[in-house]
Amino acid sequence: MRNETVCVMDTTALIVSNYVFSCKKAVTSRSVLNEVKDAKSRIMVEVAISQGRLEIAVPKEEFIEKVRKIAEKTNDYGRLSVADLELLAVALDLKEQGVKAKIFTDDYSVMNVAEALSIDYQPIRTRGISKHVRWIKYCPVCGRTFKGKINSCPDCGVKLRYKALNRR
């Protein structure tokens, strides 16, 4: 494994721009970049890109699929956006190339999946997760459990909830 850590930046890390400039090398995905909406942050991101401090990585489909499978096992898949999946896929690709990757994020589901993938992460404005959790999505009315990106019970129409199945 190479010594230098590559910072894999989620949206919050790009908005709190000093994180980009504190890394020797930082990467993100186009989907994450598209989540940065405010003008000041967009300018800082453009400066970081123009200075070569931030690169845009295109995640490979094979790594997106690996991340999806792990996210389904932890039951975080329904909580992950396309940008989250791409971010995790970029970090996993780097890891499998022998590069030490660290994800900078405040997204608990991203942290949980990163933990399951043995990828380092750094919370930005939150405390981060204290334990790896496998979630179960359930209907609070009828008690049925669900997987995937379903948000309401097809029988009751009630919004589904999450609870921890196990904590490691």
PDB file of all heavy atoms in Angstrom, residues 89-113:
ATOM      1  N   ALA A  89     -17.550   3.952  -4.390  1.00  0.00           N
ATOM      2  CA  ALA A  89     -16.927   3.178  -5.474  1.00  0.00           C
ATOM      3  C   ALA A  89     -15.549   3.730  -5.822  1.00  0.00           C
ATOM      4  O   ALA A  89     -14.610   2.963  -6.063  1.00  0.00           O
ATOM      5  CB  ALA A  89     -17.830   3.167  -6.707  1.00  0.00           C
ATOM      6  N   VAL A  90     -15.410   5.040  -5.837  1.00  0.00           N
ATOM      7  CA  VAL A  90     -14.105   5.665  -6.095  1.00  0.00           C
ATOM      8  C   VAL A  90     -13.111   5.259  -5.007  1.00  0.00           C
ATOM      9  O   VAL A  90     -11.973   4.871  -5.290  1.00  0.00           O
ATOM     10  CB  VAL A  90     -14.231   7.205  -6.183  1.00  0.00           C
ATOM     11  CG1 VAL A  90     -12.870   7.884  -6.124  1.00  0.00           C
ATOM     12  CG2 VAL A  90     -14.971   7.609  -7.460  1.00  0.00           C
ATOM     13  N   ALA A  91     -13.538   5.320  -3.751  1.00  0.00           N
ATOM     14  CA  ALA A  91     -12.661   4.941  -2.632  1.00  0.00           C
ATOM     15  C   ALA A  91     -12.291   3.464  -2.696  1.00  0.00           C
ATOM     16  O   ALA A  91     -11.133   3.100  -2.461  1.00  0.00           O
ATOM     17  CB  ALA A  91     -13.338   5.273  -1.306  1.00  0.00           C
ATOM     18  N   LEU A  92     -13.242   2.612  -3.029  1.00  0.00           N
ATOM     19  CA  LEU A  92     -12.972   1.174  -3.124  1.00  0.00           C
ATOM     20  C   LEU A  92     -12.006   0.878  -4.265  1.00  0.00           C
ATOM     21  O   LEU A  92     -11.089   0.059  -4.113  1.00  0.00           O
ATOM     22  CB  LEU A  92     -14.279   0.400  -3.319  1.00  0.00           C
ATOM     23  CG  LEU A  92     -14.151  -1.120  -3.381  1.00  0.00           C
ATOM     24  CD1 LEU A  92     -13.524  -1.679  -2.105  1.00  0.00           C
ATOM     25  CD2 LEU A  92     -15.516  -1.759  -3.637  1.00  0.00           C
ATOM     26  N   ASP A  93     -12.165   1.552  -5.378  1.00  0.00           N
ATOM     27  CA  ASP A  93     -11.250   1.397  -6.516  1.00  0.00           C
ATOM     28  C   ASP A  93      -9.830   1.765  -6.099  1.00  0.00           C
ATOM     29  O   ASP A  93      -8.871   1.031  -6.363  1.00  0.00           O
ATOM     30  CB  ASP A  93     -11.727   2.264  -7.683  1.00  0.00           C
ATOM     31  CG  ASP A  93     -10.943   2.037  -8.965  1.00  0.00           C
ATOM     32  OD1 ASP A  93      -9.991   1.234  -8.987  1.00  0.00           O
ATOM     33  OD2 ASP A  93     -11.284   2.685  -9.976  1.00  0.00           O
ATOM     34  N   LEU A  94      -9.689   2.891  -5.411  1.00  0.00           N
ATOM     35  CA  LEU A  94      -8.365   3.314  -4.927  1.00  0.00           C
ATOM     36  C   LEU A  94      -7.777   2.267  -3.983  1.00  0.00           C
ATOM     37  O   LEU A  94      -6.610   1.886  -4.104  1.00  0.00           O
ATOM     38  CB  LEU A  94      -8.455   4.664  -4.220  1.00  0.00           C
ATOM     39  CG  LEU A  94      -8.715   5.876  -5.094  1.00  0.00           C
ATOM     40  CD1 LEU A  94      -9.100   7.083  -4.250  1.00  0.00           C
ATOM     41  CD2 LEU A  94      -7.501   6.186  -5.964  1.00  0.00           C
ATOM     42  N   LYS A  95      -8.594   1.792  -3.055  1.00  0.00           N
ATOM     43  CA  LYS A  95      -8.142   0.792  -2.088  1.00  0.00           C
ATOM     44  C   LYS A  95      -7.636  -0.458  -2.802  1.00  0.00           C
ATOM     45  O   LYS A  95      -6.584  -1.004  -2.453  1.00  0.00           O
ATOM     46  CB  LYS A  95      -9.275   0.440  -1.134  1.00  0.00           C
ATOM     47  CG  LYS A  95      -8.911  -0.627  -0.131  1.00  0.00           C
ATOM     48  CD  LYS A  95     -10.095  -1.036   0.710  1.00  0.00           C
ATOM     49  CE  LYS A  95      -9.714  -2.278   1.491  1.00  0.00           C
ATOM     50  NZ  LYS A  95     -10.853  -3.007   1.960  1.00  0.00           N
ATOM     51  N   GLU A  96      -8.383  -0.913  -3.792  1.00  0.00           N
ATOM     52  CA  GLU A  96      -7.996  -2.132  -4.502  1.00  0.00           C
ATOM     53  C   GLU A  96      -6.781  -1.918  -5.407  1.00  0.00           C
ATOM     54  O   GLU A  96      -6.149  -2.882  -5.816  1.00  0.00           O
ATOM     55  CB  GLU A  96      -9.195  -2.710  -5.262  1.00  0.00           C
ATOM     56  CG  GLU A  96     -10.230  -3.250  -4.283  1.00  0.00           C
ATOM     57  CD  GLU A  96     -11.257  -4.168  -4.904  1.00  0.00           C
ATOM     58  OE1 GLU A  96     -11.142  -4.517  -6.097  1.00  0.00           O
ATOM     59  OE2 GLU A  96     -12.190  -4.551  -4.174  1.00  0.00           O
ATOM     60  N   GLN A  97      -6.432  -0.653  -5.675  1.00  0.00           N
ATOM     61  CA  GLN A  97      -5.194  -0.342  -6.396  1.00  0.00           C
ATOM     62  C   GLN A  97      -4.008  -0.238  -5.444  1.00  0.00           C
ATOM     63  O   GLN A  97      -2.887   0.020  -5.873  1.00  0.00           O
ATOM     64  CB  GLN A  97      -5.322   0.994  -7.140  1.00  0.00           C
ATOM     65  CG  GLN A  97      -6.283   0.995  -8.299  1.00  0.00           C
ATOM     66  CD  GLN A  97      -6.385   2.378  -8.899  1.00  0.00           C
ATOM     67  OE1 GLN A  97      -5.380   3.064  -9.080  1.00  0.00           O
ATOM     68  NE2 GLN A  97      -7.603   2.808  -9.203  1.00  0.00           N
ATOM     69  N   GLY A  98      -4.261  -0.406  -4.149  1.00  0.00           N
ATOM     70  CA  GLY A  98      -3.194  -0.310  -3.164  1.00  0.00           C
ATOM     71  C   GLY A  98      -2.963   1.091  -2.657  1.00  0.00           C
ATOM     72  O   GLY A  98      -1.962   1.368  -2.008  1.00  0.00           O
ATOM     73  N   VAL A  99      -3.910   1.993  -2.918  1.00  0.00           N
ATOM     74  CA  VAL A  99      -3.811   3.384  -2.471  1.00  0.00           C
ATOM     75  C   VAL A  99      -4.621   3.528  -1.192  1.00  0.00           C
ATOM     76  O   VAL A  99      -5.745   3.024  -1.096  1.00  0.00           O
ATOM     77  CB  VAL A  99      -4.359   4.347  -3.556  1.00  0.00           C
ATOM     78  CG1 VAL A  99      -4.342   5.783  -3.061  1.00  0.00           C
ATOM     79  CG2 VAL A  99      -3.572   4.207  -4.849  1.00  0.00           C
ATOM     80  N   LYS A 100      -4.062   4.215  -0.201  1.00  0.00           N
ATOM     81  CA  LYS A 100      -4.795   4.459   1.041  1.00  0.00           C
ATOM     82  C   LYS A 100      -5.783   5.590   0.801  1.00  0.00           C
ATOM     83  O   LYS A 100      -5.404   6.722   0.536  1.00  0.00           O
ATOM     84  CB  LYS A 100      -3.831   4.821   2.164  1.00  0.00           C
ATOM     85  CG  LYS A 100      -4.517   4.998   3.501  1.00  0.00           C
ATOM     86  CD  LYS A 100      -3.490   5.076   4.606  1.00  0.00           C
ATOM     87  CE  LYS A 100      -4.042   5.404   5.952  1.00  0.00           C
ATOM     88  NZ  LYS A 100      -5.280   4.814   6.341  1.00  0.00           N
ATOM     89  N   ALA A 101      -7.061   5.261   0.872  1.00  0.00           N
ATOM     90  CA  ALA A 101      -8.125   6.246   0.652  1.00  0.00           C
ATOM     91  C   ALA A 101      -8.823   6.536   1.971  1.00  0.00           C
ATOM     92  O   ALA A 101      -9.006   5.645   2.805  1.00  0.00           O
ATOM     93  CB  ALA A 101      -9.131   5.715  -0.364  1.00  0.00           C
ATOM     94  N   LYS A 102      -9.209   7.788   2.162  1.00  0.00           N
ATOM     95  CA  LYS A 102      -9.979   8.183   3.339  1.00  0.00           C
ATOM     96  C   LYS A 102     -11.132   9.054   2.856  1.00  0.00           C
ATOM     97  O   LYS A 102     -10.923  10.055   2.178  1.00  0.00           O
ATOM     98  CB  LYS A 102      -9.125   8.962   4.337  1.00  0.00           C
ATOM     99  CG  LYS A 102      -9.892   9.374   5.593  1.00  0.00           C
ATOM    100  CD  LYS A 102      -9.019  10.169   6.534  1.00  0.00           C
ATOM    101  CE  LYS A 102      -8.525   9.261   7.640  1.00  0.00           C
ATOM    102  NZ  LYS A 102      -7.820  10.011   8.695  1.00  0.00           N
ATOM    103  N   ILE A 103     -12.345   8.633   3.201  1.00  0.00           N
ATOM    104  CA  ILE A 103     -13.541   9.374   2.807  1.00  0.00           C
ATOM    105  C   ILE A 103     -13.835  10.443   3.857  1.00  0.00           C
ATOM    106  O   ILE A 103     -13.916  10.146   5.047  1.00  0.00           O
ATOM    107  CB  ILE A 103     -14.759   8.442   2.666  1.00  0.00           C
ATOM    108  CG1 ILE A 103     -14.499   7.389   1.588  1.00  0.00           C
ATOM    109  CG2 ILE A 103     -16.012   9.244   2.350  1.00  0.00           C
ATOM    110  CD1 ILE A 103     -15.576   6.339   1.468  1.00  0.00           C
ATOM    111  N   PHE A 104     -14.014  11.677   3.399  1.00  0.00           N
ATOM    112  CA  PHE A 104     -14.401  12.791   4.260  1.00  0.00           C
ATOM    113  C   PHE A 104     -15.894  13.024   4.058  1.00  0.00           C
ATOM    114  O   PHE A 104     -16.319  13.453   2.984  1.00  0.00           O
ATOM    115  CB  PHE A 104     -13.599  14.052   3.928  1.00  0.00           C
ATOM    116  CG  PHE A 104     -12.184  13.986   4.412  1.00  0.00           C
ATOM    117  CD1 PHE A 104     -11.242  13.211   3.756  1.00  0.00           C
ATOM    118  CD2 PHE A 104     -11.800  14.682   5.547  1.00  0.00           C
ATOM    119  CE1 PHE A 104      -9.933  13.126   4.214  1.00  0.00           C
ATOM    120  CE2 PHE A 104     -10.489  14.606   6.018  1.00  0.00           C
ATOM    121  CZ  PHE A 104      -9.558  13.826   5.354  1.00  0.00           C
ATOM    122  N   THR A 105     -16.695  12.714   5.082  1.00  0.00           N
ATOM    123  CA  THR A 105     -18.154  12.767   4.954  1.00  0.00           C
ATOM    124  C   THR A 105     -18.813  12.938   6.309  1.00  0.00           C
ATOM    125  O   THR A 105     -18.216  12.602   7.339  1.00  0.00           O
ATOM    126  CB  THR A 105     -18.691  11.482   4.282  1.00  0.00           C
ATOM    127  OG1 THR A 105     -20.091  11.612   4.054  1.00  0.00           O
ATOM    128  CG2 THR A 105     -18.418  10.254   5.134  1.00  0.00           C
ATOM    129  N   ASP A 106     -20.035  13.427   6.294  1.00  0.00           N
ATOM    130  CA  ASP A 106     -20.869  13.453   7.492  1.00  0.00           C
ATOM    131  C   ASP A 106     -22.063  12.521   7.344  1.00  0.00           C
ATOM    132  O   ASP A 106     -22.935  12.486   8.202  1.00  0.00           O
ATOM    133  CB  ASP A 106     -21.367  14.871   7.785  1.00  0.00           C
ATOM    134  CG  ASP A 106     -20.368  15.679   8.594  1.00  0.00           C
ATOM    135  OD1 ASP A 106     -19.466  15.080   9.202  1.00  0.00           O
ATOM    136  OD2 ASP A 106     -20.491  16.915   8.616  1.00  0.00           O
ATOM    137  N   ASP A 107     -22.110  11.775   6.275  1.00  0.00           N
ATOM    138  CA  ASP A 107     -23.229  10.875   5.994  1.00  0.00           C
ATOM    139  C   ASP A 107     -23.017   9.560   6.745  1.00  0.00           C
ATOM    140  O   ASP A 107     -22.077   8.818   6.471  1.00  0.00           O
ATOM    141  CB  ASP A 107     -23.312  10.639   4.487  1.00  0.00           C
ATOM    142  CG  ASP A 107     -24.533   9.855   4.071  1.00  0.00           C
ATOM    143  OD1 ASP A 107     -24.794   8.796   4.682  1.00  0.00           O
ATOM    144  OD2 ASP A 107     -25.199  10.273   3.113  1.00  0.00           O
ATOM    145  N   TYR A 108     -23.914   9.265   7.682  1.00  0.00           N
ATOM    146  CA  TYR A 108     -23.767   8.073   8.517  1.00  0.00           C
ATOM    147  C   TYR A 108     -23.851   6.782   7.706  1.00  0.00           C
ATOM    148  O   TYR A 108     -23.154   5.812   7.999  1.00  0.00           O
ATOM    149  CB  TYR A 108     -24.805   8.064   9.644  1.00  0.00           C
ATOM    150  CG  TYR A 108     -24.508   9.084  10.717  1.00  0.00           C
ATOM    151  CD1 TYR A 108     -25.185  10.300  10.748  1.00  0.00           C
ATOM    152  CD2 TYR A 108     -23.544   8.844  11.677  1.00  0.00           C
ATOM    153  CE1 TYR A 108     -24.903  11.242  11.728  1.00  0.00           C
ATOM    154  CE2 TYR A 108     -23.255   9.772  12.660  1.00  0.00           C
ATOM    155  CZ  TYR A 108     -23.939  10.981  12.681  1.00  0.00           C
ATOM    156  OH  TYR A 108     -23.651  11.911  13.641  1.00  0.00           O
ATOM    157  N   SER A 109     -24.697   6.749   6.688  1.00  0.00           N
ATOM    158  CA  SER A 109     -24.792   5.542   5.856  1.00  0.00           C
ATOM    159  C   SER A 109     -23.516   5.336   5.048  1.00  0.00           C
ATOM    160  O   SER A 109     -23.062   4.210   4.882  1.00  0.00           O
ATOM    161  CB  SER A 109     -26.012   5.615   4.936  1.00  0.00           C
ATOM    162  OG  SER A 109     -27.196   5.503   5.689  1.00  0.00           O
ATOM    163  N   VAL A 110     -22.928   6.414   4.556  1.00  0.00           N
ATOM    164  CA  VAL A 110     -21.641   6.307   3.849  1.00  0.00           C
ATOM    165  C   VAL A 110     -20.586   5.765   4.803  1.00  0.00           C
ATOM    166  O   VAL A 110     -19.810   4.868   4.451  1.00  0.00           O
ATOM    167  CB  VAL A 110     -21.217   7.661   3.229  1.00  0.00           C
ATOM    168  CG1 VAL A 110     -19.783   7.605   2.722  1.00  0.00           C
ATOM    169  CG2 VAL A 110     -22.163   8.059   2.099  1.00  0.00           C
ATOM    170  N   MET A 111     -20.548   6.282   6.031  1.00  0.00           N
ATOM    171  CA  MET A 111     -19.583   5.802   7.018  1.00  0.00           C
ATOM    172  C   MET A 111     -19.809   4.323   7.327  1.00  0.00           C
ATOM    173  O   MET A 111     -18.850   3.557   7.448  1.00  0.00           O
ATOM    174  CB  MET A 111     -19.687   6.608   8.313  1.00  0.00           C
ATOM    175  CG  MET A 111     -19.184   8.013   8.219  1.00  0.00           C
ATOM    176  SD  MET A 111     -19.334   8.812   9.839  1.00  0.00           S
ATOM    177  CE  MET A 111     -19.928  10.419   9.358  1.00  0.00           C
ATOM    178  N   ASN A 112     -21.062   3.922   7.459  1.00  0.00           N
ATOM    179  CA  ASN A 112     -21.387   2.541   7.794  1.00  0.00           C
ATOM    180  C   ASN A 112     -20.942   1.582   6.683  1.00  0.00           C
ATOM    181  O   ASN A 112     -20.351   0.542   6.953  1.00  0.00           O
ATOM    182  CB  ASN A 112     -22.891   2.402   8.065  1.00  0.00           C
ATOM    183  CG  ASN A 112     -23.234   1.181   8.875  1.00  0.00           C
ATOM    184  OD1 ASN A 112     -22.608   0.896   9.883  1.00  0.00           O
ATOM    185  ND2 ASN A 112     -24.234   0.450   8.427  1.00  0.00           N
ATOM    186  N   VAL A 113     -21.188   1.957   5.440  1.00  0.00           N
ATOM    187  CA  VAL A 113     -20.766   1.116   4.312  1.00  0.00           C
ATOM    188  C   VAL A 113     -19.242   1.144   4.180  1.00  0.00           C
ATOM    189  O   VAL A 113     -18.621   0.109   3.926  1.00  0.00           O
ATOM    190  CB  VAL A 113     -21.466   1.540   3.006  1.00  0.00           C
ATOM    191  CG1 VAL A 113     -20.936   0.755   1.814  1.00  0.00           C
ATOM    192  CG2 VAL A 113     -22.980   1.348   3.127  1.00  0.00           C
TER     193      VAL A 113
END
